[in-house]
Amino acid sequence: MGKKLVMVPAKDLDLSAVEYKPEVIQAPHLTGLGFKLFVNLLEAPVIGSLIISYLKKQNKMDEMLRNTEIPEAPMFKPEFPPQEPEPGMVLVDEDGKPEDRVESALKCLPHYDPASCWNGDSAPSFRYWKIRDYAHAYRSKIVTPSMVAEHIISVIEEFQKKNPMAPLLISFDEEEVRKQAAASTRRLEEGNPISILDGIFIAIKDDIDCYPHLSKGATTWMHEVRSVNRDAVCVSRLRSCGVIFVGKANMHELGMGTTGNNPNYGTTRNPHAFERYTGGSSSGPAAIVASGICSAALGTDGGGSVRIPSSLCGIVGLKTTYGRTDIGGSICDSGTVEIIGPMASSMEDVILVYAAMLGSSPADRICLNPSPPCLPNLSSYGNTDILGSLRLGKYTAWFNDVHSTDISDKCEDILNLLSKTHGCEMVEIVVPELDEMRIAHLVSIGSETQCSLNHDIEDGKGKRLTYDTRTSFALFRSFSAADYVAAQCFRRRLMYHHMEIFKKVDVIVTPTTGMTAPKIPPSALKYGETDMQVAAYLMRFVIAANLLGLPAISIPVGYDKQGLPIGLQIIGRPWAEATILRLASAVEELCGMSKKQPESFYDVLRTK
């Protein structure tokens, strides 16, 4: 063992001496039978440990975790200093009725006339229907939720027949959809809709409970050991607003991957390019929204799993502050990095769904002391002034570390446009210890996942996981209690660094991902794939929001030269969802005319 590295306390780190080091991952890219053989070797008693030890040494994991003296005490879940109130916001009552919060959110939105868009007046070449368009169509008796339901059912059935399999939903019950739609149609006909979300179709990721569906986490066995007797808290809040749930959306097994590859049920395809991944792990939710089939979806985000697929599929994905939404009733509800977040095709739809589902759990209110939830008042005259006062932090060396300059150039163009249009100030920042952050996140999410599933894996269910997931668990098993504590010491250091950055800026801006949607190797469909280089590009910018519990949003800003979507990420201070929602809405407005229709798109509102 080499000489022990002693880190200086975080407060004494000289940021002027910090050099950005491009991330280098040493790991094989494997698919097909070669991958199957590799996993069998990994799980063999002696040789498996040797392979894992070698890979950890190559990637300097043990050097960082076991051979470094970290002066900070561990932080076992995010701890936030008190935050200043955000300007120009509307407070919402997290103890009130979800439908009342939705009504408050509606009043915060800018003026919009669905009738003119429905008639084709001044419409851009392509646009997604918004929730307000559905509400107008229902209330004008142009269509009913039951009519839309029939169209959606026929589209979902078409997807179920695709070869190779590429399902959007893992669990789908057309009679359950019809029953919900009929109840909504009846309320609308009687003039008693519960909220603007009444009759709106939403998909739920397969690791979030939505009764009466099973929650499998896209495994073949989770439903055998975990029953579903009620909705997850977030789902229950949406149901009370009249939402219609189409079913449980496909995902990367147990959320343990960034591509969305799933040999168990078939790999969901990117609506912009069938031969490419959606990104993961919330692959089905992203694809079903990007295809126009659902207005919104709920995903989980423990390592970019809402933001990555949202970016790759050209939609909006919100990762809330840790504890802002109640994660109770999801498979990953015992971790310290995960949240449930909304995904939608427009900012205003994300805001409406977020308003309905927000509200911390009783336990989180005690230990996290959240600031009261607010929404940005986008309809007020002061909106531009508030935008102009925002300081945007950019770490240029990190920002530009992407697979193709198409990504950094497009994001840079939008930031320049923001400054020119609204007067936002760009501030150069340094984000230190990015390698330590990546390792600390991996050890945290890996150890917590291993802990929550250990009994089932030891009970023989581990052999029924995909080879991709088994590779992850082979690594997770190698982490010691000391590794986990070291990761939490890094968490406290990194929290300090970020809170210092937020004294100088209001948000941090990055591309959401370091690459656009990767191609699916045909050999990866049957046995899966391990490609840590691709994972590194996809996760490059997303980890801080998970390890440190910060709010972040991915907003589409255009396309690369191949026509694949690019996302911009905005990371905010703790509890500052309203600020990132405001800024993302301004970005959306600046990019409004550049949307292009995905290759796979269904207009389910204009039912013929």
Side-chain angles (χ1 to χ4, degrees), residues 126 128 269-272 284-295 309-310 312-315 344-345 565 596-602:
F126 170 73
Y128 285 100
R269 305 307 186 98
N270 194 312
H272 289 269
I288 207 165
V289 171
S291 299
I293 299 163
C294 286
S295 296
S310 294
L312 269 49
C313 291
I315 63 168
S345 57
K596 71 184 189 69
Q597 182 172 311
E599 284 177 12
S600 174
F601 177 76
Y602 300 87

Side-chain angles (χ1 to χ4, degrees), residues 131-173:
I131 286 170
R132 285 198 275 185
D133 292 313
Y134 279 86
H136 168 74
Y138 293 157
R139 286 152 183 78
S140 304
K141 299 188 168 36
I142 298 169
V143 294
T144 66
S146 288
M147 291 163 67
V148 176
E150 290 306 320
H151 203 176
I152 290 174
I153 288 166
S154 67
V155 171
I156 296 298
E157 287 175 342
E158 178 187 324
F159 264 89
Q160 311 289 53
K161 294 171 186 167
K162 281 192 187 289
N163 190 12
M165 292 187 301
L168 297 169
L169 299 175
I170 285 175
S171 179
F172 172 63
D173 181 343

Side-chain angles (χ1 to χ4, degrees), residues 310-560:
S310 294
S311 178
L312 269 49
C313 291
I315 63 168
V316 183
L318 173 65
K319 189 256 164 212
T320 61
T321 306
Y322 177 79
R324 173 64 87 195
T325 52
D326 191 330
I327 201 169
S330 70
I331 289 172
C332 55
D333 62 7
S334 57
T336 67
V337 296
E338 296 93 344
I339 58 91
I340 296 175
M343 305 161 76
S345 57
S346 69
M347 276 305 306
E348 70 169 62
D349 289 357
V350 159
I351 289 170
L352 290 170
V353 175
Y354 167 63
M357 63 184 282
L358 67 77
S360 305
S361 70
D364 281 342
R365 288 194 209 186
I366 294 167
C367 65
L368 296 174
N369 193 25
S371 302
C374 342
L375 299 171
N377 190 350
L378 303 176
S379 62
S380 76
Y381 291 113
N383 188 43
T384 299
D385 292 339
I386 296 167
L387 283 168
S389 71
L390 293 178
R391 299 160 301 166
L392 281 52
K394 175 175 173 252
Y395 185 16
T396 299
W398 186 36
F399 190 100
N400 291 337
D401 188 9
V402 291
H403 188 260
S404 161
T405 54
D406 289 359
I407 296 170
S408 48
D409 288 350
K410 181 63 71 173
C411 290
E412 181 82 37
D413 289 347
I414 291 300
L415 295 177
N416 290 335
L417 198 52
L418 260 182
S419 296
K420 185 179 169 186
T421 309
H422 297 291
C424 304
E425 182 190 354
M426 295 301 306
V427 179
E428 183 65 24
I429 59 171
V430 173
V431 184
E433 301 176 358
L434 290 166
D435 279 345
E436 286 84 350
M437 182 160 67
R438 178 172 53 84
I439 299 294
H441 171 265
L442 177 64
V443 173
S444 298
I445 193 171
S447 301
E448 290 164 11
T449 304
Q450 172 77 23
C451 180
S452 67
L453 295 171
N454 203 45
H455 173 75
D456 299 317
I457 290 167
E458 295 296 321
D459 204 27
K461 303 288 192 303
K463 293 290 186 188
R464 293 167 62 185
L465 293 168
T466 61
Y467 292 108
D468 181 9
T469 310
R470 285 162 67 177
T471 302
S472 296
F473 277 112
L475 175 61
F476 300 163
R477 277 193 296 274
S478 75
F479 296 145
S480 67
D483 293 338
Y484 185 76
V485 172
Q488 309 321 303
C489 295
F490 280 130
R491 191 184 329 221
R492 188 172 296 279
R493 278 183 76 84
L494 289 153
M495 184 69 83
Y496 175 85
H497 293 320
H498 280 73
M499 292 306 105
E500 288 298 297
I501 290 168
F502 282 122
K503 289 176 182 176
K504 303 182 188 79
V505 301
D506 299 294
V507 299
I508 298 169
V509 288
T510 71
T512 306
T513 58
M515 70 187 304
T516 51
K519 281 192 172 175
I520 305 171
S523 56
L525 293 175
K526 186 173 182 182
Y527 295 118
E529 175 181 23
T530 178
D531 190 339
M532 289 299 119
Q533 280 77 20
V534 163
Y537 272 118
L538 292 178
M539 295 183 74
R540 177 146 301 153
F541 305 105
V542 298
I543 289 169
N546 294 107
L547 183 68
L548 307 180
L550 304 171
I553 193 163
S554 178
I555 179 87
V557 292
Y559 305 87
D560 68 5

Side-chain angles (χ1 to χ4, degrees), residues 44 64 80 189 211 231 254 292 303 315 380 499 505 518 598:
M64 209 174 282
F80 305 124
E189 284 172 350
Y211 187 79
D231 288 334
L254 292 176
I315 63 168
S380 76
M499 292 306 105
V505 301

